[in-house]
Amino acid sequence: MSQENLLEIKELTKYFKVKKEKLTAVDNISLSIKKGQCLGIVGESGCGKSTLVKMIVGSLKPSGGTIRLEGIEYLNLKGKEKRDFWRNIQMVFQDPISSFPPRMKIGNYLAEPRLNYDKIKKKDAISQAKELLEMVGLKKDFINRYPHELSGGQLQRVAIARAISVSPKLLICDEATGALDVTIQNKIVELIDKLIHKEKISCIFIGHDLAVVGSISDNVAVMYLGRIVEYMNSQMLEKNPLHPYTKALREAAFDVYCNQEDELKVLEGDPPSPLNIGEGCAFAKRCSFAKEQCFKERPQLKEVEKGHFVACFI
Ligand SMILES: Nc1ncnc2c1ncn2[C@@H]1O[C@H](COP(=O)(O)OP(=O)(O)OP(=O)(O)O)[C@@H](O)[C@H]1O
């Protein structure tokens, strides 16, 4: 294990049994995240993003492969070690309101993780809650409010504050801005960006919008039907994406990368069923460059320049 890597995922796979058939949701994925870096994961609905995250946070058991944080295969931990471990990985979800207990004041909600993990005094936890609120750009007196008294964007700030309250090593944002309108979305992305750098937290930022994901991430993995089809840093994503699928996503993300006057190109067709991916490249049927080989053989992820990996024969 490299000294610098915080998270290492090796050959991770998840199958589901659907009516006696095997559905491949995550197919042999290997990834690593360095300390303090943000990895973006992008792909259309159904490509396996949530399944991948559920395995990282221990809510789904992998069918194969390993996940290590600082070298520890943490999914096998038991008892106190397991309890203590989980503060290291915190999540922010898409829908802020559903993750809040409606009758719990914001102050108590923010104080709860420190009370549980560190057994600090309630008075100290509430005072830290006020600091956390200020850190995420909210007023201290929000501690006395209930979730329904806050907007979606404000609630998402509180969710982020709670996630960082226990000084995690890895913050996972699963479509964390997806339910917010665009101006609020940008502010939340800026906030996450500022906090992960200030607190030196590594981050996995998941979304279906390449522009949003690219704007916060150091490296981006593009997923298609359970596999990574391209992995590169955000400069390569902006200047030289190579996989036809990444290019199509990039063109669709016109607001950041393209001239707003350009015609918006939409990716046509649906991905094939994960029950029946077939032999060839899973993207071949939607790819305007596909040649005979693409329908017969599965392209493997290969390094084409330093740090830039692509699974494509073209
Ligand atoms: N519990 C399950 N049982 C059977 N199939 C599942 C299960 N969970 C997910 N899947 C299937 O696995 C594939 C990947 O789903 P997943 O939710 O990981 O995709 P996603 O990229 O997160 O999509 P979205 O952006 O819509 O959340 C899909 O085909 C989905 O239908």
Side-chain angles (χ1 to χ4, degrees), residues 70-277:
E70 293 185 320
I72 298 167
E73 240 183 280
Y74 58 88
L75 296 178
N76 300 331
L77 294 176
K78 302 259 180 304
K80 183 177 178 320
E81 267 189 324
K82 181 179 173 181
R83 261 196 323 279
D84 291 346
F85 173 84
W86 280 108
R87 72 179 302 154
N88 293 317
I89 302 180
Q90 295 293 316
M91 271 195 87
V92 180
F93 298 95
Q94 174 171 19
D95 182 10
I97 192 77
S98 64
S99 40
F100 282 82
R103 289 193 193 86
M104 192 185 255
K105 282 186 182 170
I106 298 298
N108 291 337
Y109 182 72
L110 282 174
E112 196 178 52
R114 291 291 316 275
L115 291 170
N116 287 342
Y117 278 115
D118 298 323
K119 314 281 180 230
I120 61 172
K121 287 186 188 143
K122 176 93 187 263
K123 182 174 75 82
D124 296 334
I126 292 291
S127 133
Q128 194 209 8
K130 291 182 190 165
E131 286 170 25
L132 285 164
L133 284 169
E134 287 195 319
M135 230 165 133
V136 296
L138 296 174
K139 289 192 193 131
K140 284 185 201 173
D141 60 13
F142 274 40
I143 56 161
N144 293 315
R145 293 206 191 177
Y146 288 95
H148 71 270
E149 296 172 311
L150 271 66
S151 70
Q154 288 169 336
L155 283 175
Q156 203 57 310
R157 285 174 188 268
V158 175
I160 294 165
R162 180 175 150 118
I164 62 165
S165 71
V166 290
S167 308
K169 291 181 176 157
L170 179 66
L171 179 70
I172 302 181
C173 302
D174 189 4
E175 302 273 7
T177 59
L180 306 169
D181 70 49
V182 175
T183 46
I184 309 291
Q185 208 176 67
N186 293 341
K187 288 193 177 131
I188 297 292
V189 171
E190 275 169 28
L191 174 68
I192 296 171
D193 195 25
K194 189 180 96 187
L195 290 175
I196 57 178
H197 285 103
K198 182 164 170 269
E199 305 293 313
K200 298 191 172 53
I201 302 171
S202 302
C203 177
I204 298 180
F205 192 93
I206 292 159
H208 54 268
D209 185 329
L210 195 80
V212 174
V213 175
S215 70
I216 186 170
S217 307
D218 297 289
N219 294 301
V220 176
V222 180
M223 277 184 79
Y224 191 78
L225 222 66
R227 286 199 167 193
I228 293 172
V229 295
E230 187 160 6
Y231 175 91
M232 75 227 102
N233 66 37
S234 51
Q235 291 80 30
M236 291 166 184
L237 173 67
E238 193 177 337
K239 296 201 173 82
N240 190 28
L242 292 173
H243 197 286
Y245 178 61
T246 315
K247 287 183 181 178
L249 287 180
R250 184 176 171 275
E251 278 168 23
F254 70 108
D255 54 341
V256 170
Y257 292 124
C258 306
N259 185 334
Q260 297 239 3
E261 285 157 20
D262 285 353
E263 195 186 335
L264 177 61
K265 290 182 190 146
V266 179
L267 194 60
E268 286 179 9
D270 293 319
S273 160
L275 284 170
N276 181 23
I277 300 174

